[in-house]
Amino acid sequence: MRRLALNEENYRESPCYDSRRALSIACDNLGALAAEAATPEKTAEAEKWYRRSLELDEENYREMPCYDTRQSLSVICDRLGRMAREKGGDAGEKEAAHWYRKSLELDEQNYQENPGQKSRRNLSVTCCTLGDIALERRSPEAEAEAEGWYRRCLVLDEESYRENPSRACRRNLAVTLERLGELAERRKEYEAAEEWCRKAMVLYEQNLQEKPDQSSRRSVGILYQMLGTLLQNAY
C-alpha cells in the first residue's frame, strides 16, 4: 500500500501518462492480490482495483492511442471479463461477453497495425474465450457462433505456426483443433470430431517427442481418451 500511496501522490502532483501508468499497474497488482483470496469480499475488492486501473488506462488511451495503451486496456478488460465469468448466470455471461468484445476491438486494431506473433496470439486468445462463452448458452445458434470464433482462432494459430513452428505455437494450434473436435462431438458429428482430434494428436505427439514432460503426456493422454470415446459413440 506504501507504493500505491507514492504513486497516488505522484499522479496528483503530475497527472501525465507515466504517473498514470504507474498508478494503474499498482492498482492492477492490488486487484490480482485480492483476487487470489477468492472470497466474496476480496473478489469485490479486486473488481474495484481493476475498475480503477481501467479508468486510468482509458485516459492514457484517449491521450495516446497506440499499440501499448491498447494492449494495457485490453489486459484490464480481460481481467474484468474473467471476474464476470466467475459470477456465473446469464448476467455474468452477458457482462463477460461485453468485456471480451471490448478486448477484441483493441486486439483487432493492434493486429491490423502490427500483425506479428504477439498481436496475433492476443487476438486468438480473445476469440477462443468468446467461443467458450458462446458455448455456455447451449443452443444451436450459440454452437454456430462458437464455431465461428474457433475457426478464426484456427486461421490465426495456423499462420503463427507456419511463421514459427515452435513448441508453443504447435501447442496453441493443437488446443484450437481440440476445441473444434469437442464442438463436433457435442453436435454428434463424430467423423468430423475424430478428424479434428487426430490433427491435434499429431501436434501433441510431436511436442511429446521433443520434450517428454508431464504437460505433454497429459495432453496426449486426454486426447487418446477422447478419441476412444468418439470411436465408441461412432461405431
Side-chain angles (χ1 to χ4, degrees):
M1 297 300 284
R2 173 64 177 160
R3 182 177 177 183
L4 176 70
L6 291 171
N7 286 327
E8 289 272 19
E9 187 175 350
N10 286 341
Y11 180 53
R12 282 194 299 272
E13 289 181 1
S14 177
C16 63
Y17 178 94
D18 289 338
S19 62
R20 199 179 294 122
R21 182 64 189 140
L23 180 55
S24 173
I25 290 171
C27 291
D28 182 41
N29 289 338
L30 285 167
L33 190 63
E36 286 179 3
T39 65
E41 295 78 12
K42 286 295 183 179
T43 298
E45 181 184 334
E47 184 172 355
K48 181 194 74 172
W49 289 120
Y50 289 149
R51 286 185 180 274
R52 179 76 193 287
S53 184
L54 177 73
E55 291 173 3
L56 295 161
D57 286 348
E58 284 179 330
E59 192 169 349
N60 267 355
Y61 178 56
R62 285 191 295 270
E63 183 180 295
M64 189 186 299
C66 64
Y67 185 100
D68 288 342
T69 54
R70 277 191 295 271
Q71 175 62 18
S72 298
L73 190 52
S74 176
V75 168
I76 290 298
C77 288
D78 177 85
R79 299 260 205 278
L80 289 164
R82 288 185 189 185
M83 296 199 73
R85 289 189 77 185
E86 289 171 1
K87 293 175 184 177
D90 293 341
E93 178 189 299
K94 186 175 180 180
E95 184 185 348
H98 162 76
W99 289 118
Y100 281 112
R101 285 186 182 278
K102 286 191 71 170
S103 186
L104 177 74
E105 182 181 344
L106 297 160
D107 292 342
E108 288 270 20
Q109 195 168 348
N110 270 355
Y111 180 56
Q112 288 168 9
E113 289 187 6
N114 185 14
Q117 286 278 340
K118 183 179 178 181
S119 61
R120 192 182 300 120
R121 181 59 188 154
N122 290 339
L123 179 55
S124 176
V125 169
T126 301
C127 289
C128 183
T129 304
L130 283 164
D132 293 344
I133 290 171
L135 275 186
E136 291 173 5
R137 298 202 301 272
R138 296 190 172 276
S139 69
E141 294 78 16
E143 288 174 357
E145 181 185 338
E147 183 179 4
W149 290 119
Y150 292 151
R151 285 188 179 275
R152 179 77 195 283
C153 290
L154 182 65
V155 171
L156 294 163
D157 291 345
E158 284 178 332
E159 188 173 354
S160 286
Y161 183 55
R162 282 193 299 269
E163 187 179 291
N164 178 26
S166 64
R167 178 182 173 84
C169 289
R170 194 179 297 125
R171 185 186 182 282
N172 294 337
L173 178 55
V175 168
T176 299
L177 292 165
E178 190 175 353
R179 282 281 206 292
L180 285 162
E182 290 169 351
L183 177 58
E185 181 186 22
R186 182 165 162 168
R187 291 167 155 175
K188 301 188 187 306
E189 297 170 354
Y190 297 122
E191 287 186 13
E194 182 184 349
E195 184 178 349
W196 289 120
C197 288
R198 288 192 183 279
K199 287 180 179 179
M201 181 64 78
V202 170
L203 298 168
Y204 279 136
E205 288 188 327
Q206 195 171 344
N207 270 0
L208 181 61
Q209 289 169 5
E210 282 188 8
K211 186 179 179 182
D213 58 8
Q214 185 176 0
S215 175
S216 297
R217 285 192 293 271
R218 184 174 181 275
S219 296
V220 170
I222 289 171
L223 205 51
Y224 267 121
Q225 186 176 11
M226 184 176 172
L227 278 167
T229 302
L230 283 172
L231 292 171
Q232 282 182 341
N233 290 331
Y235 305 106

